Amino acid sequence: MATAVDELLDMLFDMIDEAKNAAFSSDKCIIDRDKALDLIEDAKKQLPVDLAEARKILNARNEYLAAAKREADEIRKRAEIEANQMVSDAPVMAQARQKAREILSHADEEAKKTCRETNEYCVDLLRRTEDALAAAHAEMRQVHNQFRSGMGSGGSGDRDRSSGGSRMYDAEADG
């Protein structure tokens, strides 16, 4: 996009480029002085306008770049904070998961141990109950045998019946 100053300078260049050579000189030419001066004057007038516009564009560009830099810095800072938090959270999470695995493993071992001990206790209790029942059964047989022998001692059962007396078992005397 050409500015007014560029256009005026291009016109002046074309005027000089197309001018006729001066007599007896290849470096000098003849141009219309008033027209050339008018072009230079117009360019001088236009130059402040173009410079002001260029300054506005430069200022706007600088403001845009500064805002973009601030935004980029903010994004970078947030990213660094998030990254640091993620990095610091990662070991915490790994430690928490490891601790949870250890707790679960320990709980599982304790549950197995408790189950094993409970089973052993129940087996032992059943064995002792069985032994107690066997001892009680043996004592019952002994008492039963003593009862039978007590009824049969001192003569036959017919003789006791004929004499009219019945003999009873005395547990206190037996014990």
Side-chain angles (χ1 to χ4, degrees), residues 3 7 18 35 41 59 64 106 109 113 119 125 159 171:
T3 64
E7 289 175 10
E18 294 171 2
K35 190 173 181 184
E41 191 65 35
N59 288 337
Y64 177 78
H106 181 70
E109 289 173 16
K113 179 182 173 188
N119 286 340
L125 187 61
R159 203 172 33 173

Side-chain angles (χ1 to χ4, degrees), residues 6-7 31 49 53 58 69 79 87 91 96 108 112 119 122 124 141 147 152 160 173-174:
D6 288 336
E7 289 175 10
I31 58 169
V49 174
E53 187 66 29
L58 274 175
K69 186 176 186 304
V87 167
D108 190 41
K112 287 178 182 177
N119 286 340
C122 288
D124 184 53
R141 281 188 182 259
F147 181 73
D160 285 338
D174 208 22

Side-chain angles (χ1 to χ4, degrees), residues 144-162:
H144 190 215
N145 287 337
Q146 286 175 354
F147 181 73
R148 275 194 196 154
S149 66
M151 288 201 45
S153 65
S156 73
D158 290 337
R159 203 172 33 173
D160 285 338
R161 272 189 236 135
S162 62

Side-chain angles (χ1 to χ4, degrees), residues 103-155:
I103 290 170
L104 288 174
S105 177
H106 181 70
D108 190 41
E109 289 173 16
E110 286 295 315
K112 287 178 182 177
K113 179 182 173 188
T114 302
C115 188
R116 190 172 46 252
E117 289 173 352
T118 302
N119 286 340
E120 290 171 1
Y121 174 76
C122 288
V123 166
D124 184 53
L125 187 61
L126 287 172
R127 182 192 51 76
R128 285 187 286 144
T129 302
E130 193 176 287
D131 291 349
L133 285 174
H137 186 260
E139 190 176 333
M140 288 278 295
R141 281 188 182 259
Q142 183 183 4
V143 169
H144 190 215
N145 287 337
Q146 286 175 354
F147 181 73
R148 275 194 196 154
S149 66
M151 288 201 45
S153 65

Side-chain angles (χ1 to χ4, degrees), residues 58-114:
L58 274 175
N59 288 337
R61 176 187 156 266
N62 290 339
E63 287 176 17
Y64 177 78
L65 287 175
K69 186 176 186 304
R70 281 191 304 271
E71 186 177 347
D73 287 343
E74 288 175 16
I75 290 170
R76 183 186 49 79
K77 286 177 186 175
R78 280 194 307 251
E80 285 176 358
I81 290 169
E82 288 179 23
N84 288 338
Q85 188 174 9
M86 292 172 110
V87 167
S88 67
D89 286 350
V92 170
M93 289 301 291
Q95 289 172 351
R97 285 188 183 108
Q98 179 62 30
K99 186 68 174 174
R101 282 192 293 271
E102 290 172 7
I103 290 170
L104 288 174
S105 177
H106 181 70
D108 190 41
E109 289 173 16
E110 286 295 315
K112 287 178 182 177
K113 179 182 173 188
T114 302

Side-chain angles (χ1 to χ4, degrees), residues 13-82:
F13 180 84
D14 290 341
M15 177 189 295
I16 294 170
D17 188 42
E18 294 171 2
K20 295 180 183 177
N21 288 341
F24 307 110
S25 172
S26 62
D27 292 348
K28 297 181 182 176
C29 64
I30 298 173
I31 58 169
D32 184 356
R33 176 182 286 186
D34 290 334
K35 190 173 181 184
L37 290 173
D38 287 341
L39 287 174
I40 292 173
E41 191 65 35
D42 289 343
K44 282 172 66 177
K45 289 178 186 173
Q46 191 63 38
L47 199 57
V49 174
D50 285 351
L51 284 176
E53 187 66 29
R55 281 191 191 108
K56 286 180 188 176
I57 291 171
L58 274 175
N59 288 337
R61 176 187 156 266
N62 290 339
E63 287 176 17
Y64 177 78
L65 287 175
K69 186 176 186 304
R70 281 191 304 271
E71 186 177 347
D73 287 343
E74 288 175 16
I75 290 170
R76 183 186 49 79
K77 286 177 186 175
R78 280 194 307 251
E80 285 176 358
I81 290 169
E82 288 179 23

